[in-house]
Amino acid sequence: MRMGIRALPTIIQGGMGIGVSHWPLARTVSLRGQLGVVSGTALDAVFARRLQHGDPEGHLRRALDKLPMPGVAERVLDRYFIEGGKSPTTPYRAVPMPCVQPTSFHLELLVAANFVEVFLAKEGHQGLVGINYLRKIEPPTLPSLFGAMLAGVDVVLMGAGIPTTIPGILDRMAQGRSVELPLEVQEGECALMHFDPRAFCELRGGAMPSLQRPDFFAIVSYDSLATMLSRKATGRINGFVIEDFTAGGHNARPRGRMQLNDRGEPIFGPRDVADLAVFRELGVPFWLAGTRGHPDRVREAIEAGAQGVQIGTAFAFCAESAMTPDVKRRVHDAVLADRADVLTDPLASPAGLPFKIVQLDDTLSDPCLCEARPRYCDLGYFRHAYRREDGSIGWRCPAEPADDYVNRGGEVEDTVGRKCLCNGLIAAIGLPQMRNGGDEEPMLITAGQGLRDIARYIRSDGQCYTADEVIDDLLTGAVAARASA
Ligand SMILES: Cc1cc2nc3c(=O)[nH]c(=O)nc-3n(C[C@H](O)[C@H](O)[C@H](O)COP(=O)(O)O)c2cc1C
């Protein structure tokens, strides 16, 4: 068995979904000797939509060509690739919705999409590449892990939930053994999702390749969760990312009864701050995340015993991220004009966790635009499983039309204030679905509370700052910490 990744990075470029931390960003970070992380969230949809743009530079097809199962690449290309790209007003062809038993084609798409993203991030160098998944999005997890491992992913990082079973799944998968992941169907009742890597390969005329077990880093907000995971995880946890409530994306709920401030945001207090002494005692390397995008914050993290930091926001708006140039420019302008505002919305996410939303015109942060958008659920990553009266498993999303949700046995109160994260986030990387012959799905942008800190990187010449510049700057904090030690 491998004894963990070669050299621990100081900077982890956090996984950012949907598709924000795509392979060009992760590769750039990895080339600098730090940990570049691609987002694994909704990667099947991102991949299928990119193929429908015609893959102009041929990267996706070059990587697909290396997939060691005959026929898979052809079937995926047949379904989604459009030479020269689709017309801008044509809707994207749908990908199958996540479910307990994906079709054979959907398994292939998930394996291929995850393989390609990691393959491209790792291509041509020896640096470390990780992939990030959300525990709350369960159905695609097993085939996605297999695709990423086929491409030699070095680290799997997982947050937004309790990933107790994932380390053991990585152990078994590396040995070519079949794996299972429990899916919560209702309180106290789970269905099992299965994936057999050997059968997957052999059914497609390939042999099971030898795989390395990647390291597993759990993303947690509380020391109690880390302690529990250290005792109960089904395999080895190689690191913890401790993400606080200022971080971009989803945040953990505050402890106790949720109180709101006058902007309607959850109030976090001292009880919501992880006790680093517990992590130091666990003896597992850890990284701090949340408003760490400044050399002084990096120095403080290392002085507190961390290996380094995980950074999202500063990388989300750099040249190599997948956010559209227009989004980056508008966010940079807002930061420079001291107008940048991030709201922690307790209701928006169908995952039921607080979610950070950048307040920007013409995005879903605008209540009028949100109200005007007819509700659709056609990507479905945040759907929850439930048991139907006939005993079968159904799926519902609190952000779908309220009537549909109630007809599926949900409570109408649960639909209030929900936003379609799937369509909103994928729109922010330039892949919005088209409705009614040409209306683009509005976008939703997330960033951390420290968004204004990116002012130090924004250039006066109008050029977008690069990931290299962020790394150069942040590493000065690490040098200072190690010099004073
Ligand atoms: C645009 C964006 C998307 C994110 N998406 C994810 C995600 O899909 N999974 C995840 O674990 N964390 C996600 N995060 C959190 C980052 O990985 C990272 O932990 C966090 O951004 C660190 O705090 P910072 O934003 O203050 O730098 C996201 C953050 C941003 C800014």
Side-chain angles (χ1 to χ4, degrees):
M1 206 203 333
R2 210 163 57 119
M3 291 311 291
I5 52 178
R6 302 174 292 277
L8 293 174
T10 300
I11 297 173
I12 301 177
Q13 162 260 303
M16 294 180 280
I18 292 177
V20 173
S21 61
H22 60 163
W23 66 266
L25 172 59
R27 184 167 189 275
T28 306
V29 174
S30 171
L31 277 165
R32 290 293 311 271
Q34 307 303 322
L35 179 58
V37 180
V38 293
S39 166
T41 301
L43 209 44
D44 49 347
V46 172
F47 180 58
R49 289 189 181 189
R50 288 192 177 137
L51 286 174
Q52 289 168 77
H53 281 247
D55 185 25
E57 285 154 344
H59 296 306
L60 304 181
R61 283 165 293 159
R62 186 178 71 254
L64 258 183
D65 210 37
K66 299 285 186 300
L67 195 60
M69 287 116 202
V72 173
E74 287 75 3
R75 283 188 286 278
V76 168
L77 289 173
D78 252 17
R79 178 88 65 108
Y80 294 113
F81 177 64
I82 300 177
E83 187 78 56
K86 72 172 188 71
S87 107
T89 52
T90 309
Y92 292 104
R93 189 164 189 183
V95 293
M97 299 270 255
C99 62
V100 179
Q101 278 172 327
T103 59
S104 167
F105 175 74
H106 196 193
L107 287 177
E108 292 183 344
L109 178 64
L110 285 164
V111 170
N114 282 266
F115 173 84
V116 165
E117 195 72 6
V118 173
F119 176 90
L120 291 171
K122 284 186 71 70
E123 193 179 24
H125 64 93
Q126 298 297 314
L128 299 173
V129 169
I131 193 160
N132 173 286
Y133 298 106
L134 298 180
R135 181 65 186 89
K136 288 256 177 198
I137 300 182
E138 290 151 324
T141 302
L142 297 177
S144 299
L145 283 172
F146 180 59
M149 285 171 69
L150 269 180
V153 74
D154 300 286
V155 185
V156 170
L157 302 95
M158 193 178 271
I162 305 178
T164 324
T165 56
I166 304 295
I169 287 173
L170 298 177
D171 291 334
R172 286 181 67 92
M173 192 114 60
Q175 296 156 6
R177 296 161 71 196
S178 67
V179 286
E180 326 186 299
L181 182 68
L183 167 80
E184 191 172 314
V185 181
Q186 54 196 19
E187 197 136 337
E189 189 210 329
C190 287
L192 284 180
M193 294 178 294
H194 302 270
F195 184 78
D196 183 342
R198 189 173 301 277
F200 179 88
C201 298
E202 289 174 1
L203 267 172
R204 287 159 183 84
M208 172 74 201
S210 89
L211 297 179
Q212 287 206 319
R213 196 268 198 192
D215 277 6
F216 179 71
F217 292 180
I219 304 172
V220 299
S221 297
Y222 297 118
D223 42 87
S224 50
L225 177 55
T227 310
M228 188 280 273
L229 282 173
S230 309
R231 290 203 195 111
K232 299 206 169 150
T234 53
R236 187 160 170 201
I237 294 182
N238 307 84
F240 286 105
V241 174
I242 309 168
E243 200 182 59
D244 74 17
F245 52 81
T246 66
H250 284 99
N251 302 135
R253 275 186 220 96
R255 287 187 197 224
R257 230 183 106 241
M258 199 191 287
Q259 314 257 23
L260 303 180
N261 66 17
D262 52 9
R263 287 179 13 126
E265 300 173 299
I267 299 174
F268 294 91
R271 288 175 68 205
D272 302 306
V273 178
D275 180 358
L276 297 187
V278 174
F279 289 88
R280 288 190 289 265
E281 246 171 54
L282 286 174
V284 175
F286 64 90
W287 288 261
L288 301 187
T291 324
R292 293 280 159 185
H294 186 289
D296 291 347
R297 304 288 96 70
V298 178
R299 181 177 48 74
E300 287 160 14
I302 294 173
E303 286 171 357
Q307 183 63 40
V309 293
Q310 171 166 289
I311 305 290
T313 298
F315 287 119
F317 301 98
C318 78
E320 294 85 350
S321 101
M323 291 252 199
T324 67
D326 177 57
V327 168
K328 290 178 203 170
R329 189 189 46 74
R330 289 170 59 207
V331 169
H332 291 186
D333 288 350
V335 168
L336 290 180
D338 211 15
R339 278 188 283 107
D341 184 19
V342 176
L343 186 113
T344 308
D345 191 323
L347 295 176
S349 174
L353 296 171
F355 190 72
K356 293 265 190 297
I357 299 181
V358 180
Q359 306 298 293
L360 206 62
D361 290 345
D362 301 323
T363 70
L364 284 178
S365 66
D366 173 351
C368 298
L369 185 60
C370 214
E371 194 70 11
R373 174 191 179 269
R375 287 184 169 213
Y376 297 96
C377 181
D378 54 358
L379 287 169
Y381 294 97
F382 287 102
R383 294 188 308 170
H384 316 305
Y386 70 98
R387 187 66 72 191
R388 292 200 189 101
E389 274 175 16
D390 65 4
S392 62
I393 292 176
W395 294 87
R396 63 183 178 225
C397 176
E400 71 186 354
D403 289 349
D404 292 351
Y405 189 74
V406 172
N407 287 337
R408 295 186 171 111
E411 305 288 333
V412 72
E413 302 84 75
D414 291 341
T415 65
V416 177
R418 303 296 183 192
K419 298 185 196 292
C420 179
L421 258 55
C422 297
N423 275 294
L425 292 175
I426 204 166
I429 58 163
L431 302 174
Q433 185 55 293
M434 295 293 157
R435 312 283 182 199
N436 312 320
D439 293 343
E440 281 185 10
E441 271 284 353
M443 59 178 90
L444 182 68
I445 298 156
T446 181
Q449 217 161 284
L451 177 57
R452 287 172 187 222
D453 291 346
I454 70 168
R456 60 194 284 107
Y457 302 126
I458 300 174
R459 296 199 204 156
S460 52
D461 64 3
Q463 294 289 310
C464 193
Y465 68 88
T466 64
D468 265 335
E469 290 170 85
V470 175
I471 293 170
D472 284 340
D473 182 50
L474 297 182
L475 285 180
T476 61
V479 170
R482 287 175 183 136
S484 71

